[in-house]
Short mmCIF file of all heavy atoms in Angstrom, two decimals:
data_model
loop_
_atom_site.label_atom_id
_atom_site.label_comp_id
_atom_site.label_asym_id
_atom_site.label_seq_id
_atom_site.Cartn_x
_atom_site.Cartn_y
_atom_site.Cartn_z
N VAL P 245 150.00 -134.77 0.11
CA VAL P 245 151.18 -134.70 0.88
C VAL P 245 151.59 -136.06 1.37
O VAL P 245 150.81 -136.75 2.02
CB VAL P 245 151.07 -133.75 2.14
CG1 VAL P 245 152.31 -133.70 2.92
CG2 VAL P 245 150.63 -132.37 1.67
N LYS P 246 152.82 -136.52 0.95
CA LYS P 246 153.31 -137.80 1.33
C LYS P 246 154.04 -137.67 2.66
O LYS P 246 154.73 -136.68 2.86
CB LYS P 246 154.22 -138.40 0.27
CG LYS P 246 153.49 -138.63 -1.05
CD LYS P 246 154.46 -139.24 -2.06
CE LYS P 246 153.68 -139.53 -3.39
NZ LYS P 246 154.65 -140.11 -4.38
N THR P 247 153.99 -138.70 3.47
CA THR P 247 154.68 -138.73 4.69
C THR P 247 156.19 -138.86 4.41
O THR P 247 156.65 -139.72 3.72
CB THR P 247 154.28 -139.94 5.56
OG1 THR P 247 152.86 -139.80 5.80
CG2 THR P 247 155.01 -139.89 6.90
N ALA P 248 156.95 -137.87 4.89
CA ALA P 248 158.41 -137.84 4.61
C ALA P 248 159.17 -138.84 5.52
O ALA P 248 158.78 -139.03 6.65
CB ALA P 248 158.92 -136.47 4.83
N VAL P 249 160.14 -139.46 4.91
CA VAL P 249 160.97 -140.39 5.62
C VAL P 249 162.04 -139.56 6.43
O VAL P 249 162.70 -138.64 5.90
CB VAL P 249 161.72 -141.34 4.69
CG1 VAL P 249 162.66 -142.24 5.50
CG2 VAL P 249 160.71 -142.15 3.93
N ALA P 250 162.12 -139.78 7.69
CA ALA P 250 163.04 -138.99 8.53
C ALA P 250 164.44 -139.12 8.01
O ALA P 250 164.98 -140.17 7.78
CB ALA P 250 162.98 -139.51 9.96
N ALA P 251 165.11 -137.93 7.79
CA ALA P 251 166.43 -137.92 7.34
C ALA P 251 167.41 -138.12 8.52
O ALA P 251 167.14 -137.69 9.64
CB ALA P 251 166.76 -136.58 6.65
N PRO P 252 168.53 -138.72 8.28
CA PRO P 252 169.48 -138.92 9.40
C PRO P 252 170.00 -137.59 9.97
O PRO P 252 170.31 -137.51 11.12
CB PRO P 252 170.60 -139.74 8.77
CG PRO P 252 170.50 -139.45 7.31
CD PRO P 252 169.05 -139.28 6.98
N LYS P 253 170.05 -136.55 9.12
CA LYS P 253 170.57 -135.25 9.64
C LYS P 253 169.90 -134.16 8.85
O LYS P 253 169.73 -134.23 7.62
CB LYS P 253 172.07 -135.19 9.41
CG LYS P 253 172.75 -133.98 10.01
CD LYS P 253 174.23 -133.96 9.83
CE LYS P 253 174.87 -132.76 10.47
NZ LYS P 253 176.26 -132.76 10.36
N ALA P 254 169.45 -133.16 9.56
CA ALA P 254 168.71 -132.03 8.95
C ALA P 254 169.67 -131.21 8.09
O ALA P 254 170.81 -130.93 8.42
CB ALA P 254 168.14 -131.09 10.01
N ALA P 255 169.17 -130.95 6.86
CA ALA P 255 170.01 -130.10 5.94
C ALA P 255 169.94 -128.66 6.39
O ALA P 255 168.99 -128.25 7.04
CB ALA P 255 169.36 -130.25 4.50
N PRO P 256 170.98 -127.91 6.04
CA PRO P 256 170.99 -126.49 6.41
C PRO P 256 169.80 -125.78 5.86
O PRO P 256 169.33 -126.06 4.69
CB PRO P 256 172.30 -125.99 5.80
CG PRO P 256 173.12 -127.22 5.60
CD PRO P 256 172.18 -128.32 5.29
N LEU P 257 169.19 -124.82 6.55
CA LEU P 257 168.02 -124.12 6.16
C LEU P 257 168.38 -123.18 4.96
O LEU P 257 169.26 -122.30 5.10
CB LEU P 257 167.50 -123.25 7.34
CG LEU P 257 166.19 -122.52 7.05
CD1 LEU P 257 165.08 -123.45 6.69
CD2 LEU P 257 165.81 -121.66 8.23
N LYS P 258 167.69 -123.40 3.89
CA LYS P 258 167.92 -122.58 2.68
C LYS P 258 167.15 -121.28 2.82
O LYS P 258 166.01 -121.30 3.25
CB LYS P 258 167.45 -123.33 1.46
CG LYS P 258 167.69 -122.52 0.15
CD LYS P 258 167.17 -123.37 -1.01
CE LYS P 258 167.31 -122.58 -2.33
NZ LYS P 258 166.77 -123.26 -3.48
N ALA P 259 167.82 -120.23 2.58
CA ALA P 259 167.20 -118.92 2.64
C ALA P 259 166.07 -118.76 1.68
O ALA P 259 166.24 -119.01 0.44
CB ALA P 259 168.23 -117.76 2.40
N PRO P 260 164.83 -118.42 2.13
CA PRO P 260 163.71 -118.24 1.19
C PRO P 260 163.87 -116.99 0.39
O PRO P 260 164.59 -116.05 0.74
CB PRO P 260 162.49 -118.22 2.17
CG PRO P 260 163.10 -117.74 3.44
CD PRO P 260 164.46 -118.22 3.49
N THR P 261 163.12 -116.88 -0.68
CA THR P 261 163.07 -115.62 -1.49
C THR P 261 162.10 -114.65 -0.78
O THR P 261 161.33 -115.09 0.12
CB THR P 261 162.59 -115.90 -2.88
OG1 THR P 261 161.20 -116.40 -2.84
CG2 THR P 261 163.48 -116.98 -3.62
N TYR P 262 162.11 -113.41 -1.23
CA TYR P 262 161.20 -112.44 -0.66
C TYR P 262 159.71 -112.87 -0.90
O TYR P 262 158.85 -112.74 -0.06
CB TYR P 262 161.42 -111.04 -1.23
CG TYR P 262 160.45 -110.02 -0.56
CD1 TYR P 262 160.68 -109.58 0.78
CD2 TYR P 262 159.34 -109.56 -1.28
CE1 TYR P 262 159.80 -108.73 1.36
CE2 TYR P 262 158.48 -108.67 -0.64
CZ TYR P 262 158.70 -108.26 0.69
OH TYR P 262 157.87 -107.43 1.24
N ALA P 263 159.45 -113.36 -2.11
CA ALA P 263 158.06 -113.80 -2.44
C ALA P 263 157.63 -114.87 -1.50
O ALA P 263 156.46 -114.98 -1.10
CB ALA P 263 158.03 -114.28 -3.90
N GLU P 264 158.53 -115.78 -1.10
CA GLU P 264 158.25 -116.87 -0.16
C GLU P 264 158.08 -116.36 1.25
O GLU P 264 157.28 -116.91 1.99
CB GLU P 264 159.34 -117.92 -0.23
CG GLU P 264 159.43 -118.68 -1.55
CD GLU P 264 160.60 -119.57 -1.68
OE1 GLU P 264 161.67 -119.27 -1.03
OE2 GLU P 264 160.56 -120.52 -2.48
N ILE P 265 158.88 -115.38 1.65
CA ILE P 265 158.88 -114.91 3.00
C ILE P 265 157.80 -113.82 3.32
O ILE P 265 157.45 -113.67 4.46
CB ILE P 265 160.32 -114.49 3.47
CG1 ILE P 265 160.47 -114.58 4.96
CG2 ILE P 265 160.53 -112.99 3.05
CD1 ILE P 265 160.48 -115.94 5.48
N GLU P 266 157.41 -113.11 2.27
CA GLU P 266 156.47 -111.97 2.51
C GLU P 266 155.23 -112.33 3.28
O GLU P 266 154.84 -111.63 4.18
CB GLU P 266 156.13 -111.32 1.14
CG GLU P 266 155.25 -110.08 1.34
CD GLU P 266 154.77 -109.47 0.06
OE1 GLU P 266 154.81 -110.19 -0.96
OE2 GLU P 266 154.43 -108.25 0.04
N PRO P 267 154.54 -113.49 2.95
CA PRO P 267 153.38 -113.82 3.77
C PRO P 267 153.66 -114.02 5.19
O PRO P 267 152.83 -113.68 6.06
CB PRO P 267 152.94 -115.15 3.08
CG PRO P 267 153.46 -115.14 1.70
CD PRO P 267 154.82 -114.41 1.82
N LEU P 268 154.87 -114.51 5.54
CA LEU P 268 155.18 -114.71 6.96
C LEU P 268 155.44 -113.38 7.62
O LEU P 268 155.09 -113.09 8.76
CB LEU P 268 156.38 -115.61 7.12
CG LEU P 268 156.25 -117.10 6.74
CD1 LEU P 268 157.46 -117.87 7.05
CD2 LEU P 268 155.06 -117.71 7.42
N LEU P 269 156.11 -112.45 6.92
CA LEU P 269 156.38 -111.15 7.46
C LEU P 269 155.05 -110.37 7.71
O LEU P 269 154.95 -109.70 8.72
CB LEU P 269 157.26 -110.29 6.48
CG LEU P 269 158.67 -110.85 6.21
CD1 LEU P 269 159.35 -109.99 5.17
CD2 LEU P 269 159.52 -110.91 7.47
N VAL P 270 154.07 -110.48 6.80
CA VAL P 270 152.84 -109.83 6.94
C VAL P 270 152.00 -110.47 8.10
O VAL P 270 151.47 -109.85 8.97
CB VAL P 270 151.99 -109.83 5.61
CG1 VAL P 270 150.64 -109.31 5.83
CG2 VAL P 270 152.74 -109.02 4.57
N LYS P 271 151.94 -111.79 8.05
CA LYS P 271 151.16 -112.55 9.08
C LYS P 271 151.65 -112.20 10.49
O LYS P 271 150.87 -112.02 11.38
CB LYS P 271 151.32 -114.07 8.80
CG LYS P 271 150.78 -114.90 9.95
CD LYS P 271 151.08 -116.37 9.72
CE LYS P 271 150.70 -117.20 10.96
NZ LYS P 271 151.15 -118.60 10.80
N ASN P 272 152.94 -112.13 10.70
CA ASN P 272 153.51 -111.87 12.02
C ASN P 272 153.75 -110.42 12.32
O ASN P 272 154.45 -110.08 13.25
CB ASN P 272 154.82 -112.70 12.17
CG ASN P 272 154.54 -114.17 12.22
OD1 ASN P 272 153.89 -114.69 13.16
ND2 ASN P 272 155.02 -114.88 11.27
N THR P 273 153.26 -109.56 11.45
CA THR P 273 153.26 -108.07 11.59
C THR P 273 154.62 -107.47 11.56
O THR P 273 154.85 -106.33 12.03
CB THR P 273 152.50 -107.63 12.83
OG1 THR P 273 153.25 -107.98 14.02
CG2 THR P 273 151.08 -108.21 12.97
N CYS P 274 155.62 -108.20 11.00
CA CYS P 274 157.00 -107.62 10.93
C CYS P 274 157.02 -106.37 10.04
O CYS P 274 157.78 -105.45 10.31
CB CYS P 274 157.94 -108.67 10.37
SG CYS P 274 157.94 -110.26 11.18
N THR P 275 156.26 -106.38 8.95
CA THR P 275 156.31 -105.23 8.01
C THR P 275 155.69 -103.97 8.58
O THR P 275 155.71 -102.93 7.97
CB THR P 275 155.53 -105.62 6.71
OG1 THR P 275 154.31 -106.09 7.00
CG2 THR P 275 156.38 -106.68 5.95
N ALA P 276 155.05 -104.09 9.75
CA ALA P 276 154.50 -102.89 10.38
C ALA P 276 155.58 -101.91 10.79
O ALA P 276 155.38 -100.70 10.78
CB ALA P 276 153.66 -103.31 11.60
N CYS P 277 156.73 -102.47 11.18
CA CYS P 277 157.81 -101.58 11.72
C CYS P 277 159.09 -101.72 10.95
O CYS P 277 160.04 -100.92 11.18
CB CYS P 277 158.07 -101.98 13.16
SG CYS P 277 156.67 -101.70 14.27
N HIS P 278 159.16 -102.68 10.00
CA HIS P 278 160.44 -102.90 9.26
C HIS P 278 160.22 -103.06 7.76
O HIS P 278 159.24 -103.63 7.34
CB HIS P 278 161.14 -104.19 9.74
CG HIS P 278 161.38 -104.21 11.23
ND1 HIS P 278 162.53 -103.65 11.82
CD2 HIS P 278 160.68 -104.75 12.26
CE1 HIS P 278 162.46 -103.82 13.15
NE2 HIS P 278 161.35 -104.51 13.42
N GLN P 279 161.14 -102.50 6.98
CA GLN P 279 161.12 -102.73 5.50
C GLN P 279 162.47 -103.36 5.15
O GLN P 279 163.41 -103.45 6.00
CB GLN P 279 160.97 -101.44 4.81
CG GLN P 279 159.60 -100.76 5.00
CD GLN P 279 159.40 -99.55 4.17
OE1 GLN P 279 160.01 -99.43 3.11
NE2 GLN P 279 158.57 -98.63 4.62
N ALA P 280 162.55 -103.89 3.97
CA ALA P 280 163.74 -104.61 3.56
C ALA P 280 165.00 -103.74 3.57
O ALA P 280 166.01 -104.14 4.12
CB ALA P 280 163.55 -105.19 2.15
N SER P 281 164.93 -102.57 2.94
CA SER P 281 166.14 -101.75 2.83
C SER P 281 165.97 -100.32 3.36
O SER P 281 166.93 -99.53 3.30
CB SER P 281 166.55 -101.67 1.42
OG SER P 281 165.53 -101.22 0.54
N LYS P 282 164.79 -99.97 3.92
CA LYS P 282 164.58 -98.61 4.36
C LYS P 282 164.19 -98.63 5.84
O LYS P 282 163.38 -99.42 6.29
CB LYS P 282 163.44 -98.02 3.55
CG LYS P 282 163.04 -96.61 3.94
CD LYS P 282 161.83 -96.12 3.14
CE LYS P 282 161.31 -94.76 3.65
NZ LYS P 282 160.11 -94.30 2.89
N ARG P 283 164.81 -97.68 6.60
CA ARG P 283 164.44 -97.56 7.99
C ARG P 283 163.01 -97.05 8.14
O ARG P 283 162.62 -96.13 7.44
CB ARG P 283 165.40 -96.55 8.65
CG ARG P 283 164.99 -96.12 10.10
CD ARG P 283 165.98 -95.17 10.66
NE ARG P 283 165.49 -94.56 11.87
CZ ARG P 283 166.17 -93.92 12.76
NH1 ARG P 283 167.47 -93.76 12.59
NH2 ARG P 283 165.58 -93.40 13.86
N GLN P 284 162.25 -97.65 9.02
CA GLN P 284 160.92 -97.21 9.30
C GLN P 284 160.80 -96.97 10.79
O GLN P 284 161.59 -96.21 11.32
CB GLN P 284 159.86 -98.19 8.84
CG GLN P 284 158.44 -97.66 8.78
CD GLN P 284 157.47 -98.55 8.01
OE1 GLN P 284 157.48 -98.55 6.86
NE2 GLN P 284 156.58 -99.29 8.74
N VAL P 285 159.89 -97.62 11.50
CA VAL P 285 159.83 -97.50 12.94
C VAL P 285 161.09 -98.15 13.53
O VAL P 285 161.72 -97.70 14.46
CB VAL P 285 158.59 -98.17 13.53
CG1 VAL P 285 158.58 -98.15 15.03
CG2 VAL P 285 157.32 -97.39 13.00
N GLY P 286 161.43 -99.33 12.97
CA GLY P 286 162.64 -100.09 13.37
C GLY P 286 163.64 -100.12 12.27
O GLY P 286 163.37 -99.57 11.16
N PRO P 287 164.79 -100.72 12.50
CA PRO P 287 165.82 -100.76 11.45
C PRO P 287 165.39 -101.56 10.26
O PRO P 287 164.55 -102.48 10.35
CB PRO P 287 166.98 -101.44 12.19
CG PRO P 287 166.41 -102.25 13.27
CD PRO P 287 165.16 -101.42 13.68
#
């Protein structure tokens, strides 16, 4: 990992794919109550 040079302005956050976001959803227990397109405990 190379040390990144600070950019003058942060670029807009690009939306991750489901494959990229799934580990974060599982780690933070979001999938316990929510699914992508189906109502579960939460919307």
